[in-house]
Amino acid sequence: MDAISTLSADVPHLQESFNSAIVIGNAEFGLTQYILWMIICWIITLAVVILVGRKLTLIPTNKFINTVEYGYQFVRNDMGEGVIGHGFKKHVPFLATLFFFILISNFVGLIPGCKTPTGTISVTWALATISFIYFNFWGIKAHGGWGYIKSIAPSGLPAPMVPIIWFFELISLILRWLTLAVRLYGNMFAGHMVLGIFALASSVFLTVGIQSVDVLTGALTIPWFLLLIVMYALETLVAFLQAYVFTILSSVYVQLATSSH
């Protein structure tokens, strides 16, 4: 069998490897590989926060601690103060938790043999639900229950237009929930699928080239491997960008929910 046919036959198996499967327990009460890695990433995030919190100094001397502190300041200044404005400080812990958990989850998924929790819709849906509940809670707290419901539609509209605009704004509000989950999942799943295909192609062309003593087929391993390296670099950037996008959108939604408009 030639390399292309072998690759085509192996791709469905690669795709199946991304499906959720019970790794601990049973179907009634068990953990899938994604939930297991979500717990691991949560532990890593907690350990990083505790470690850095205990090692903070006025003049940072540790590069790792300095990097984490810079990340926190980035969330605080760029996503908190820069987006929410007045009263942003009380939202910084939530935003920083989102950012670091998603960032660590995305980076862990780049390690061969590991799974990214954000590569399944169930985890990203849970994160989106937490964000959705959070910004609506603060919206209700800022305006009161009925006041928040009325604030969904912009003020100053002609009376006959209010119900129509309110309905469309309500749909837009619900779509924020959906798009937060789907955007993160779609980008992470697609990126890891591409990495898997390039890694599989590199392996298949090398194996077939050796088995069939075909120098040309074996040589084609090189461009596939180079593409894999390029995609790894790109996916590293995507891992950061998706953590940033999810967090800053959550910040924007907090600002919209709590502001007077």
Side-chain angles (χ1 to χ4, degrees):
M1 184 178 289
D2 64 275
I4 297 296
S5 300
T6 303
L7 180 61
S8 299
D10 288 344
V11 166
H13 299 293
L14 172 66
Q15 187 174 0
E16 289 177 5
S17 70
F18 286 93
N19 296 336
S20 294
I22 301 294
V23 293
I24 297 178
N26 51 49
E28 294 181 357
F29 186 78
L31 298 178
T32 66
Q33 74 272 37
Y34 290 107
I35 301 302
L36 176 62
W37 281 103
M38 181 189 72
I39 295 172
I40 293 172
C41 290
W42 172 76
I43 293 173
I44 294 173
T45 305
L46 184 63
V48 168
V49 170
I50 293 175
L51 175 65
V52 173
R54 289 182 175 180
K55 299 291 185 179
L56 284 177
T57 57
L58 185 61
I59 302 177
T61 55
N62 185 288
K63 290 183 178 180
F64 173 73
I65 294 175
N66 193 30
T67 300
V68 176
E69 188 176 358
Y70 174 78
Y72 175 81
Q73 291 297 327
F74 173 68
V75 173
R76 182 185 185 279
N77 298 333
D78 188 75
M79 305 183 204
E81 186 176 14
V83 175
I84 299 174
H86 178 71
F88 75 95
K89 290 182 179 179
K90 58 179 170 285
H91 302 294
V92 172
F94 173 73
L95 297 174
T97 301
L98 271 183
F99 178 75
F100 282 110
F101 175 76
I102 295 173
L103 185 66
I104 289 172
S105 297
N106 292 350
F107 281 153
V108 165
L110 293 174
I111 302 172
C114 300
K115 293 288 185 180
T116 174
T118 51
T120 179
I121 190 66
S122 60
V123 173
T124 60
W125 191 259
L127 290 169
T129 300
I130 292 170
S131 179
F132 184 79
I133 293 172
Y134 183 88
F135 70 73
N136 279 295
F137 168 80
W138 281 99
I140 293 171
K141 190 170 182 179
H143 302 288
W146 180 242
Y148 181 61
I149 291 174
K150 291 193 299 182
S151 73
I152 293 176
S155 59
L157 291 171
M161 293 293 295
V162 171
I164 300 173
I165 299 301
W166 186 91
F167 175 73
F168 284 111
E169 288 293 333
L170 179 63
I171 293 176
S172 174
L173 181 67
I174 296 172
L175 283 177
R176 295 174 191 172
W177 185 9
L178 174 64
T179 54
L180 276 176
V182 173
R183 181 185 292 106
L184 179 58
Y185 160 70
N187 280 279
M188 299 314 300
F189 176 81
H192 283 76
M193 189 67 185
V194 171
L195 286 177
I197 291 174
F198 285 164
L200 179 63
S202 301
S203 175
V204 166
F205 274 82
L206 179 62
T207 302
V208 172
I210 293 174
Q211 290 177 346
S212 61
V213 196
D214 187 340
V215 176
L216 179 59
T217 299
L220 288 175
T221 303
I222 297 174
W224 280 112
F225 186 71
L226 292 175
L227 284 172
L228 176 61
I229 294 175
V230 171
M231 282 306 302
Y232 248 105
L234 180 61
E235 195 62 20
T236 301
L237 176 61
V238 170
F240 170 80
L241 287 177
Q242 289 307 309
Y244 172 77
V245 168
F246 192 101
T247 308
I248 199 166
L249 283 177
S250 297
S251 181
V252 169
Y253 297 155
V254 169
Q255 194 276 332
L256 291 174
T258 56
S259 65
S260 299
H261 56 275

